[in-house]
């Protein structure tokens, strides 16, 4: 028994990809099944939309100088991460099914690393946006005071951490030296690594929940103290808009990521008993959809961003002016920091020039 365990834990790098799939009981299709064709077709369609949507966001941020603030730089970086996720997932779709058996271990690790890097970068950017908004709202600023140098450093750190997370399984945290630790979802990965990766993302989720919850209660507290200076309808509408935005942000993260994270946890904890192979592809497609939802939540809810999108599309169709007309309105970040600023500084006409205008006060264009 001890000899068998010793042999089972001996490193043997001569095994190919098919060996590990057979070891964990994950079947490699010989022919394209209808289910595989459906999943791949759906996945490639999502990838195309993800790439186009995030290209549009990046183009809008680079062309409109009103978006040259830290929050929009982070949104642009998140769009870049989501675009990379779309490309990485398309690469996965084109190297799966019957094609899996033709992959070398190096190609298989690269395929997985691209997915890990892109999805980690996307989640890390979500966290960075949450931190930036939390700091901005709590300190009652219209825009973050981060310098461009600090924003660039933050973006570099996000990608550095993402690349490290993507390379970890191929470099040392795999199951080639411990075959009993092989995952059923990703047969060359260590089950312990999957537990670690899933737990890390769940921790990120709970941090985001805590930040957005504090933002909501803080804004509600500030607005309640100003209710005597504003109508009850506008007071309720502002709180409702903030609640809606936060619910969309957290709801999208839960819907897109929770199935995949739970699947990875079950696979890491239970192995073959989790039967994760039966639904892991669908979970991955749902997780990829988060890269499509992000530009909708963080960009399309911004009126100025929508105007820039329309201008870009008109230019592509040859019907737009070469020079974009910028709206005369002052631009603010996507969450209602302007409402917060007016709450505390409503006496300052420079901050709230329309504080006495019943038609325009308490408006929240980014919510």
């Amino acid at each position: 028994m001890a000899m068998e365990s010793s042999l089972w834990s001996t490193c043997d790098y001569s095994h190919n990809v098919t060996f590990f799939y057979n070891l964990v009981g994950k079947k490699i299709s010989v022919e394209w099944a209808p289910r595989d064709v459906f999943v791949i077709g759906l996945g490639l369609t999502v990838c195309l939309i993800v790439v186009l949507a995030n290209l549009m966001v990046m183009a809008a941020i680079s062309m409109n100088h009103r978006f040259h603030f830290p929050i929009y730089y982070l949104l642009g970086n998140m769009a870049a991460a989501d675009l990379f996720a779309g490309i990485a997932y398309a690469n996965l779709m084109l190297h799966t099914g019957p094609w899996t058996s033709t992959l070398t271990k190096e190609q298989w690790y690269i395929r997985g690393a691209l997915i890990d890097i892109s999805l980690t970068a996307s989640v890390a950017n979500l966290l960075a946006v949450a931190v930036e908004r939390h700091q901005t709202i709590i300190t009652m600023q219209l825009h973050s005071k981060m310098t461009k140098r600090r924003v660039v450093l933050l973006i570099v750190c996000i990608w550095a951490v993402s690349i490290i997370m993507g390379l970890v399984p191929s470099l040392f945290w795999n199951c080639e030296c411990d075959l009993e630790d092989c995952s059923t979802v990703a047969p060359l990965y260590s089950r312990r690594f999957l537990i670690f990766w899933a737990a890390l993302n769940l921790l990120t989720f709970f941090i985001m929940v805590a930040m957005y919850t504090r933002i909501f209660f803080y804004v509600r507290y500030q607005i309640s103290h100003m209710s005597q200076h504003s109508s009850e309808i506008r007071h309720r509408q502002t709180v409702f808009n903030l609640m809606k935005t936060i619910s969309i942000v957290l709801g999208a993260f839960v819907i897109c990521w929770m199935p995949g994270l739970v699947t990875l946890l079950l696979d890491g904890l239970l192995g073959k008993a989790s039967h994760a192979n039966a639904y892991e592809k669908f979970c991955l497609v749902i997780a990829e959809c988060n890269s499509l939802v992000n530009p909708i939540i963080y960009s399309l809810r911004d009126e100025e961003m929508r105007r820039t999108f329309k201008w870009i599309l008109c230019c592509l169709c040859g019907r737009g002016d070469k020079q974009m007309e910028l709206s005369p309105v002052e631009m603010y970040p996507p969450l209602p920091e302007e409402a917060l600023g007016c709450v505390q500084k409503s006496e300052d006409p420079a901050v709230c020039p329309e504080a006495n205008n019943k038609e325009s006060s308490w408006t929240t264009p980014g919510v």
Side-chain angles (χ1 to χ4, degrees):
M1 192 73 178
M3 182 179 297
E4 182 181 352
S5 177
S6 176
L7 290 173
W8 202 244
S9 301
T10 301
C11 294
D12 187 351
Y13 298 103
S14 64
H15 296 309
N16 58 19
V17 171
T18 304
F19 169 84
F20 289 95
Y21 274 70
N22 292 334
L23 177 68
V24 300
K26 186 172 185 177
K27 183 180 178 182
I28 298 180
S29 304
V30 179
E31 298 179 352
W32 290 104
R35 173 178 174 270
D36 295 329
V37 174
F38 171 76
V39 172
I40 290 177
L42 177 61
L44 289 176
T45 302
V46 171
C47 290
L48 179 61
I49 299 174
V50 165
V51 170
L52 294 178
N54 287 285
L55 273 176
M56 187 75 75
V57 173
M58 295 171 64
I61 292 175
S62 64
M63 292 178 177
N64 193 334
H65 69 78
R66 292 185 184 276
F67 297 142
H68 295 179
F69 292 96
I71 178 63
Y72 287 108
Y73 294 145
L74 292 177
L75 293 180
N77 187 53
M78 184 169 66
D82 291 336
L83 184 148
F84 186 75
I87 296 174
Y89 190 71
N91 176 73
L92 173 65
M93 291 290 97
L94 297 175
H95 294 86
T96 189
W99 294 323
T100 303
S101 59
T102 65
L103 297 176
T104 64
K105 284 193 296 185
E106 289 73 19
Q107 291 172 329
W108 192 93
Y109 278 127
I110 291 173
R111 187 188 73 171
L114 292 177
I115 294 293
D116 292 343
I117 291 171
S118 59
L119 296 184
T120 302
S122 183
V123 174
N125 273 285
L126 283 172
L127 178 61
V129 169
V131 171
E132 194 278 345
R133 290 181 172 181
H134 178 271
Q135 178 188 11
T136 300
I137 292 178
I138 297 301
T139 56
M140 289 296 187
Q141 302 170 16
L142 295 179
H143 291 293
S144 172
K145 292 183 179 180
M146 277 196 301
T147 62
K148 290 185 179 180
R149 186 175 180 179
R150 289 186 178 181
V151 174
V152 171
L153 180 61
L154 176 59
I155 292 174
V156 169
C157 290
I158 288 174
W159 284 103
V161 170
S162 302
I163 292 173
I164 291 173
M165 290 296 296
L167 295 178
V168 161
S170 60
L171 294 178
F172 60 89
W173 208 345
N174 51 61
C175 66
E176 292 192 56
C177 295
D178 186 4
L179 300 181
E180 291 182 333
D181 193 37
C182 289
S183 161
T184 59
V185 171
L188 276 75
Y189 278 14
S190 166
R191 288 165 52 190
R192 287 171 292 178
F193 170 75
L194 293 185
I195 294 174
F196 167 77
W197 196 83
L200 183 63
N201 282 280
L202 285 172
L203 176 62
T204 303
F205 165 69
F206 288 121
I207 292 175
M208 289 173 59
V209 169
M211 286 186 176
Y212 281 115
T213 300
R214 187 185 180 201
I215 289 172
F216 170 74
F217 284 110
Y218 183 78
V219 171
R220 190 174 68 172
Y221 172 79
Q222 292 292 337
I223 293 177
S224 66
H225 282 265
M226 289 299 297
S227 58
Q228 64 225 18
H229 302 294
S230 60
S231 68
E232 186 65 23
I233 296 178
R234 291 189 180 275
H235 163 70
R236 291 180 179 179
Q237 186 63 35
T238 303
V239 176
F240 174 76
N241 285 340
L242 180 61
M243 171 75 82
K244 183 167 61 176
T245 298
I246 294 174
S247 299
I248 293 174
V249 171
L250 298 182
F253 191 91
V254 171
I255 293 172
C256 294
W257 278 97
M258 198 58 68
L261 294 178
V262 172
T263 298
L264 292 179
L265 275 178
L266 292 177
D267 181 37
L269 296 171
L270 304 177
K272 295 180 182 180
S274 65
H275 302 290
N277 286 332
Y279 42 85
E280 53 103 2
K281 288 185 179 179
F282 291 101
C283 292
L284 189 57
V285 171
I286 296 174
E288 179 63 21
C289 287
N290 194 61
S291 296
L292 175 61
V293 173
N294 288 340
I296 296 175
I297 296 176
Y298 292 101
S299 301
L300 294 183
R301 292 180 65 81
D302 189 311
E303 183 179 354
E304 182 72 11
M305 186 69 76
R306 290 196 299 271
R307 292 181 66 257
T308 309
F309 286 168
K310 292 179 182 178
W311 176 81
I312 293 174
L313 292 175
C314 288
C315 287
L316 292 176
C317 297
R319 296 184 298 176
D321 297 332
K322 292 184 178 179
Q323 187 168 1
M324 177 171 50
E325 275 186 35
L326 297 176
S327 66
V329 227
E330 186 68 21
M331 278 301 303
Y332 304 117
L335 279 184
E337 288 93 336
E338 72 280 2
L340 291 174
C342 293
V343 166
Q344 186 173 2
K345 303 177 182 180
S346 57
E347 304 280 332
D348 187 353
V351 176
C352 293
E354 299 177 343
N356 298 321
N357 188 333
K358 294 181 180 180
E359 297 296 325
S360 58
S361 62
W362 294 102
T363 56
T364 54
V367 180

